Amino acid sequence: MLLGVIADDFTGASDIANTLAKGLPGQGGLRTTQYLGVPDRPALEAVEAGVISLKSRSIPAAEAVALSLQALAWLKGQGCRQILFKYCSTFDSTPAGNIGPVGEALAHALGAKGVVACPAFPTVGRTVYQGHLFVGDRLLNESGLENHPLNPMTDPDLRCWLQRQCAGAVGFVPWSTVRSGADALRAALAQAAARGEGLVIVDALTDEDLVTIGRACRDALLLTGGSGIALGLPANFLDQGLASGGAASFAGISGPEALLAGSCSGATRQQIEVHSRTHPMLTIVPDRVLEGSITAADLAGFIFAHRGEAPLVASSGSPEEVAAVQRRHGRERVAAALDGLFAETARALVAGGIRRLVVAGGETSGAVVSALGLDALTIGPEIDPGVPVLVSEGPEPLALALKSGNFGAPDFFAKALRTLAGDA
C-alpha cells in the first residue's frame, strides 16, 4: 500500500476513496479499498490506497486522537509512504473539536511540520481564499452551516478556528503563492516548518490549485484536508512507476432497494422533497422515536410494503425544527436515538433481502455501516461528485451509496438506485 487515508466519518471516506480511485482525467487513479474501522488483518497486496473510515468527527477529541493513531499504526504496517487525514470540506468541528488535535497528533507521530490543511473542494463549491472558507459565494458562517446540529460553523476564518484547537502555531499560505506553482508552494511550506508551524492553512480556488498542492506534496509524509486535496496525489505514484492503477469493474447489483435519510442539510432536504413527489416516503418524528411509539420494525415494515417503489424513510427537518427537538430532549439524546433507530432498521432491511441501500448523512451512514458489520468496500463508479458506488465483500454483496448531507444533485436518490443497479 502506498497511500493511507484516515477519514473522520464514513461518507467522507467514500468521497476521498472515489477521488483516489478516479484520479485525474486521462491519467487514472489508484486501486483503492475503503475499510470500515481499523482492520484486524493485512490489506490485500493489490491495494494501492487504503481509506480507513472512522466515526470520529463528533466524539471527544482525546478519543478521536486515539482512534486515529490506531489507524496510523495499521497503515504504516502496510507500508504506506504517505498519510492523509481527511475531514469535511466544510471543516465540521467545534472550537474544542477534533481537526486540530488529530492533525497535530498525526504530525507528531510522523515527525512532520508545515503540514497542509486545506478543505477546499471546488467541484461542490468549497473554496478557501485568504484563509477563509466559502460555500459557493457565501462565507461558511452565512451558508447554513452555522445551523449544523452537531458542529455549527460560526467563523469562516480557518486560521482562527484551527488555532483554537491546536497547541502549536498554525500557518498560512495565500492563493498568490499557490498560483505561482508547486515549487513556490513547496518552499513556502518548508519555511512554515522552519518557523515551527505544524498545520498550515493553504488557499485553493480551483481544481488546478489542488493539483498544484498535490505536486508540491509529492514527498510529504502527511497532508490534511477535504477529498479535493487528494486530486493530484495518484499521479505522483503513477508517474514514478510505483502504482499501476486500474479501476475495479462493476456490473451492478439488482434486487430490493431502500433509502434512509438522516441529514438535515439543505441539499438533502431538497432531495427528499424531489423524491417524495413520485415515491412513497415515511417521515420520522423524533419525539415519537424518543417516546418509543415508532420503531425499527415500523420503518422496515414500510420499506418492505413498498418493495420495488424506491421507498424513502427520512428524519430530516428544518434547522428550526431540529433546534426545537434538541431543546426538548438534548442534542446527544436525539442523535443517539436516531442513530440507533437507523442502525437497527438497516440490520432488519439487509436481513430481509435488501441489496441496494442509499444512506444520506455522515452520522447516519456511520451508524448504518457499523450496525451491518461490514469490513471492506470496493469503490465503484461515481454517482455524483464525491459519492461513489460501494460494494461489500462476500457471497451476497450489498451495493451502497453513502452520501454526505450537502452532496448530490436534487434527483440524487433515483440516480443512486439506478447506478447501484448498473443502469446509469
Side-chain angles (χ1 to χ4, degrees), residues 79-405:
C80 287
R81 298 173 178 231
Q82 188 170 66
I83 301 296
L84 198 162
F85 170 39
K86 195 276 175 193
Y87 40 81
C88 187
S89 61
T90 49
F91 217 70
D92 290 3
S93 60
T94 67
N98 299 348
I99 293 176
V102 171
E104 286 191 316
L106 295 174
H108 178 74
L110 291 168
K113 288 188 179 295
V115 175
V116 166
C118 180
F121 192 0
T123 302
V124 292
R126 279 71 156 154
T127 55
V128 182
Y129 182 66
Q130 297 295 356
H132 288 63
L133 181 54
F134 288 79
V135 177
D137 62 351
R138 299 282 182 177
L139 285 165
L140 179 66
N141 63 321
E142 300 171 355
S143 68
L145 271 298
E146 70 273 22
N147 298 314
H148 192 289
L150 294 178
N151 299 306
M153 298 303 296
T154 57
D155 188 347
D157 189 335
L158 298 184
R159 290 170 292 179
C160 292
W161 198 262
L162 188 57
Q163 189 63 73
R164 297 174 194 170
Q165 301 177 355
C166 288
V170 173
F172 169 60
V173 176
W175 181 71
S176 58
T177 301
V178 176
R179 294 298 285 176
S180 296
D183 290 341
L185 175 54
R186 191 179 301 112
L189 293 172
Q191 291 165 10
R195 292 192 296 267
E197 295 164 357
L199 301 180
V200 181
I201 299 294
V202 178
D203 281 350
L205 299 179
T206 66
D207 283 352
E208 182 182 354
D209 295 334
L210 294 173
V211 172
T212 297
I213 294 171
R215 289 175 179 152
C217 295
R218 185 183 68 177
D219 300 317
L221 296 173
L222 175 68
L223 298 88
T224 82
S227 64
I229 200 71
L231 194 61
L233 298 182
N236 292 336
F237 296 104
L238 293 166
D239 290 347
Q240 295 177 77
L242 298 172
S244 57
S249 62
F250 177 71
I253 292 179
S254 59
E257 74 290 341
L259 301 116
L260 305 176
S263 168
C264 300
S265 74
T268 297
R269 295 201 308 276
Q270 183 183 23
Q271 290 155 358
I272 290 169
E273 194 277 325
V274 168
H275 193 79
S276 64
R277 294 174 194 166
T278 53
H279 300 87
M281 185 183 84
L282 175 64
T283 299
I284 300 171
V285 179
D287 291 299
R288 292 187 60 199
V289 176
L290 289 159
E291 70 187 22
S293 62
I294 186 168
T295 67
D298 298 319
L299 274 54
F302 172 83
I303 295 288
F304 290 133
H306 294 281
R307 192 184 300 253
E309 301 176 65
L312 167 65
V313 171
S315 68
S316 301
S318 69
E320 295 77 18
E321 291 169 335
V322 172
V325 171
Q326 291 177 338
R327 284 194 298 270
R328 287 195 295 273
H329 302 287
R331 176 182 295 181
E332 288 75 17
R333 186 181 175 210
V334 172
L338 291 174
D339 282 355
L341 178 68
F342 279 117
E344 190 176 347
T345 299
R347 280 194 294 264
L349 292 175
V350 173
I354 293 296
R355 301 262 62 86
R356 289 178 292 149
L357 183 61
V358 179
V359 187
E363 297 298 318
T364 306
S365 294
V368 165
V369 296
S370 295
L372 294 177
L374 302 176
D375 182 7
L377 301 172
T378 300
I379 312 303
E382 186 175 56
I383 301 167
D384 267 339
V387 191
V389 169
L390 303 170
V391 183
S392 68
E393 300 176 342
E396 291 187 290
L398 177 68
L400 302 102
L402 307 178
K403 184 192 84 72
S404 176

